[in-house]
Amino acid sequence: MNRDRQFKDTVYEQLSRIGKAVSSPKRLELLDLLCQGPKKVEVLAKETDLSVANTSQHLQILRGASLVESRKEGLYVVYRIADSDVCVFFRSMRMLAGRRLAELELTVQRFLKEREGLETVDREELLERVRHKSVTVIDVRPPEEYEAGHIPGALSIPLKKLQSRLAEIPKDRQIVAYCRGPYCVLAVKAVDILRSQGYKAIRLEDGVPDWRARGFKVATGSNK
Amino acid sequence: MNRDRQFKDTVYEQLSRIGKAVSSPKRLELLDLLCQGPKKVEVLAKETDLSVANTSQHLQILRGASLVESRKEGLYVVYRIADSDVCVFFRSMRMLAGRRLAELELTVQRFLKEREGLETVDREELLERVRHKSVTVIDVRPPEEYEAGHIPGALSIPLKKLQSRLAEIPKDRQIVAYCRGPYCVLAVKAVDILRSQGYKAIRLEDGVPDWRARGFKVATGSNK
DNA sequence: CAAGTAATCAATAAGATAATAGAATAGTTG
DNA sequence: CAACTATTCTATTATCTTATTGATTACTTG
């Protein structure tokens, strides 16, 4: 029955290729970023605080596991998620971690929740309001990510430009800011800024992958 | 902006605990087995062809990632999945691998499919027949796994006992054998044996976790 | 076609991981 | 309470991983 053992070893060896790919914190960060849209190596390196060489190596490991693909575009190499299933998988991993790892919840509580004053908004309710456009939604991610996919009706106001573009935001309506997902800090900061300016602002934890996973439509392209 | 970096590092570090846990082939095999039901260390060691000491270590790593739990029961330590979400996650990983990794598909084709003569049964159709009990379903896993959860109406006939219990299986009906899932060899062997004895037997790729994931009921306990 | 740029490759050192074997522990049974 | 059993712990070795650095490749652009 040695043939069975060999078969099993090969099968689980293959499965573990996916596991190995997602066993490094930096590769998970890269994957999370790529779930927001395609990106050049340089950008990924900057976002993750890695050297370009190191980023490149991690990306090749992800590519080896068929989780991402790369294509030379002009002077740059652009990496992208190989299949939307990869984002679904990443999300299921993120949610499992969120539910099972107490330390993770704690880290987030300390960093994000304290700033928002632990506001308890009903998420489903908030999503409904976003869906029915009864609130002003702003997407504070970099513009390329907005273009790659955003919540329909959302305004693209990257965090970096927020201060200078406050005039575009109505002061009398409820503002909802979102970014890459529950572990992204952009929307948290946006809410900080908006509130200090007297806006009624709130953060939506979900990112575009979460929005999509709920079966809601995602818009692409610039808002002109 | 160093505080942000620290936060991100902590978050992805946490996420990677799950990734590290599923980055070893042997741990994946253990997880797959535990998704079939709770098991003693000894049994897990035998099933995976690992030494007991080595098995114990791997199990502790899985426990460190909160994927499994252990409890001393009499003379033995019994390990079990910590939460059914873990099986859902494992399944999503298995399916991602199945879809993305060509080598995996190839390995399975070579080992399993050739024996079944590459029979092309419509899986949905087969599941329907199993669901409506218009076929005789046999569960060829060890009895403990059957007791921990099985397809309603299935007969428990462990592969080891199949030869001696052929009399219990009606010869005029279609027989469907299932085991742990798509990468388990038990049902393949059962079908081999049954066919050689003149039965109209076929293998169902799905295991109990897949059955459950489709929203179908799972029965527990022995069949008396 | 030379200079410049983005990405990758190669070599290394530090650190983590896995299997093994033997010792130790905790609990059970005679 | 001594012998036994299942599991875990410890130490060791061999094997991977990761980050770093500097060199190299593949393109583009002047």
Side-chain angles (χ1 to χ4, degrees):
Chain A
M1 296 291 146
N2 205 6
R3 227 177 112 71
D4 285 6
R5 186 70 261 162
Q6 215 173 345
F7 169 69
K8 284 185 200 168
D9 283 349
T10 314
V11 164
Y12 290 107
E13 185 68 41
Q14 292 295 328
L15 283 193
S16 78
R17 287 171 58 195
I18 307 280
K20 284 198 193 14
V22 296
S23 69
S24 137
K26 288 296 185 185
R27 284 199 290 273
L28 285 165
E29 192 171 354
L30 289 167
L31 217 48
D32 202 2
L33 283 166
L34 287 170
C35 282
Q36 306 296 319
K39 286 188 172 51
K40 302 175 217 162
V41 178
E42 202 186 14
V43 172
L44 290 165
K46 193 161 286 174
E47 286 276 0
T48 54
D49 278 306
L50 280 172
S51 71
V52 171
N54 207 346
T55 305
S56 173
Q57 281 188 197
H58 279 304
L59 288 168
Q60 278 167 272
I61 291 170
L62 288 173
R63 194 177 48 199
S66 311
L67 300 183
V68 309
E69 286 169 354
S70 65
R71 214 176 67 199
K72 186 113 192 182
E73 283 182 15
L75 199 51
Y76 306 96
V77 175
V78 173
Y79 278 82
R80 67 187 68 233
I81 288 295
D83 184 319
S84 64
D85 290 339
V86 174
C87 297
V88 173
F89 170 73
F90 175 78
R91 190 167 169 268
S92 88
M93 182 169 172
R94 196 198 69 199
M95 293 197 306
L96 182 65
R99 253 181 273 115
R100 301 293 316 159
L101 304 177
E103 289 95 327
L104 179 55
E105 190 50 32
L106 214 75
T107 306
V108 174
Q109 291 270 332
R110 271 205 296 256
F111 190 88
L112 301 181
K113 300 282 173 63
E114 71 181 17
R115 304 179 67 155
E116 302 180 286
L118 275 166
E119 210 164 343
T120 46
V121 205
D122 180 33
R123 191 143 147 201
E124 303 301 324
E125 161 74 19
L126 184 59
L127 281 161
E128 270 317 292
R129 272 189 271 169
V130 168
R131 230 158 93 71
H132 292 99
K133 306 198 166 76
S134 60
V135 287
T136 297
V137 182
I138 63 175
D139 181 323
V140 297
R141 297 173 302 160
E144 315 83 62
E145 297 182 16
Y146 176 87
E147 279 164 37
H150 58 262
I151 293 179
L155 264 62
S156 173
I157 304 188
L159 182 62
K160 283 184 183 173
K161 305 234 176 96
L162 182 57
Q163 286 283 9
S164 62
R165 291 177 58 185
L166 283 171
E168 300 173 36
I169 304 169
K171 211 147 190 170
D172 52 335
R173 296 191 80 198
Q174 161 106 64
I175 310 299
V176 174
Y178 77 92
C179 51
R180 291 166 180 150
Y183 305 133
C184 176
V185 302
L186 299 174
V188 178
K189 301 196 162 174
V191 167
D192 270 1
I193 294 172
L194 289 168
R195 287 193 183 164
S196 74
Q197 301 292 322
Y199 288 89
K200 262 179 55 186
I202 197 166
R203 169 176 172 251
L204 174 65
E205 278 195 29
D206 297 70
V208 172
D210 304 292
W211 180 263
R212 184 179 279 121
R214 285 173 192 271
F216 301 155
K217 282 240 171 64
V218 171
T220 55
S222 82
N223 237 4
K224 188 167 348 48
Chain B
M1 296 284 150
N2 204 8
R3 225 178 113 72
D4 285 7
R5 187 69 260 161
Q6 215 174 345
F7 169 69
K8 285 184 199 167
D9 283 350
T10 313
V11 164
Y12 291 107
E13 184 69 41
Q14 293 294 329
L15 284 192
S16 78
R17 286 172 60 194
I18 306 281
K20 283 199 202 351
V22 295
S23 68
S24 139
K26 288 296 186 184
R27 283 199 289 273
L28 285 165
E29 192 172 353
L30 288 167
L31 218 48
D32 202 1
L33 283 166
L34 287 171
C35 282
Q36 306 296 321
K39 286 187 172 50
K40 301 175 218 166
V41 178
E42 201 186 15
V43 172
L44 290 165
K46 193 161 287 174
E47 288 276 1
T48 54
D49 279 304
L50 280 172
S51 71
V52 171
N54 208 346
T55 305
S56 173
Q57 280 188 194
H58 279 305
L59 288 168
Q60 278 166 274
I61 291 170
L62 288 172
R63 193 177 49 198
S66 311
L67 300 183
V68 308
E69 286 170 354
S70 66
R71 214 176 66 198
K72 187 113 191 182
E73 284 183 14
L75 201 50
Y76 305 96
V77 174
V78 173
Y79 278 82
R80 67 188 66 233
I81 288 295
D83 185 318
S84 63
D85 290 338
V86 174
C87 298
V88 173
F89 170 73
F90 175 78
R91 189 167 170 269
S92 87
M93 182 170 173
R94 195 198 70 198
M95 293 196 307
L96 182 65
R99 253 180 273 116
R100 301 294 315 158
L101 304 177
E103 290 95 325
L104 180 55
E105 190 50 32
L106 215 75
T107 307
V108 175
Q109 291 270 333
R110 270 205 296 257
F111 190 88
L112 301 181
K113 300 282 172 63
E114 71 181 19
R115 305 181 66 156
E116 301 179 287
L118 275 165
E119 209 163 346
T120 46
V121 205
D122 179 32
R123 189 142 147 202
E124 302 301 323
E125 162 73 17
L126 183 59
L127 281 162
E128 270 315 291
R129 272 189 272 168
V130 168
R131 231 158 91 70
H132 292 97
K133 306 198 167 75
S134 61
V135 287
T136 297
V137 182
I138 62 175
D139 181 323
V140 297
R141 297 173 302 160
E144 313 83 63
E145 296 182 16
Y146 176 86
E147 278 164 37
H150 57 262
I151 293 178
L155 263 61
S156 173
I157 305 189
L159 181 63
K160 283 185 183 172
K161 305 235 177 95
L162 182 56
Q163 286 284 9
S164 62
R165 290 177 59 184
L166 284 171
E168 300 173 36
I169 304 170
K171 211 145 192 172
D172 53 333
R173 298 190 79 197
Q174 161 104 64
I175 310 298
V176 174
Y178 77 91
C179 52
R180 290 165 180 152
Y183 304 134
C184 175
V185 302
L186 299 174
V188 178
K189 302 197 162 176
V191 167
D192 270 2
I193 294 173
L194 289 169
R195 286 192 184 165
S196 74
Q197 301 292 322
Y199 288 89
K200 263 179 53 187
I202 198 167
R203 169 174 172 253
L204 174 66
E205 277 196 29
D206 298 71
V208 173
D210 304 293
W211 180 264
R212 185 179 277 121
R214 286 174 191 270
F216 301 156
K217 281 241 171 64
V218 171
T220 55
S222 81
N223 236 7
K224 182 174 3 32

